[in-house]
Amino acid sequence: MYTRFCAALARLCLKVGVGGLGLLIAAVLYQVIGRYVFNDTPTWAESGAVLLVLYVTMLGMAVGVRDAGHIGLESLLVLVPEAVRLKMELLIHALVLVFGLIMAYNCAVLAQSVWDYKIPTLGLSEAFKYAPPAFAGVLISLFSLEHIIALLRGEEVEPAWH
């Protein structure tokens, strides 16, 4: 049941990420047309695009952790005995889980500390810059826990895009 939840969550993140990428393309296109065709650059387009990049990147990174699309040292793991490999993989996923929790906590603290400040060109709170990594940290922790459970059960996590 936990795996189905994580898979559905990862697919939702992928869909939101693709939608954000479409909005990012539209914002940059609008900025380029405004600048070079109408000679009137929209002030919100650049900072909006940067904010969208944060959301798309963080969602993609979290799904990459679940789908094992991140950089790994698998070449070293295939050289060690099976029992050592399992312990090393459990350690790796535990460290990634801890990293996700630390990232989520610290970005949430940062978001709270800048809540009252506004992004001038968007009128949104500066906290919107720190919400994506905080949310991604939670997702990374959930997905790492899924990998730990799967390793202990002798199973593999099916990628979300399948």
Side-chain angles (χ1 to χ4, degrees), residues 78-137:
V78 297
L79 300 175
V80 298
E82 182 69 23
V84 175
R85 184 192 59 76
L86 177 64
K87 289 176 184 171
M88 288 175 69
E89 285 185 5
L90 286 170
L91 176 65
I92 289 167
H93 289 297
L95 289 172
V96 172
L97 186 146
V98 169
F99 170 78
L101 290 174
I102 291 170
M103 186 170 93
Y105 173 76
N106 286 306
C107 288
V109 168
L110 281 170
Q112 184 182 17
S113 71
V114 297
W115 184 259
D116 294 330
Y117 301 103
K118 301 280 184 203
I119 301 171
T121 56
L122 295 175
L124 297 173
S125 170
E126 286 278 346
F128 280 88
K129 290 181 178 178
Y130 300 103
F135 184 62

Side-chain angles (χ1 to χ4, degrees), residues 27-44:
V28 171
L29 183 64
Y30 185 70
Q31 181 181 13
V32 169
I33 290 172
R35 178 178 292 152
Y36 294 109
V37 176
F38 300 117
N39 201 24
D40 183 27
T41 305
T43 58
W44 59 267

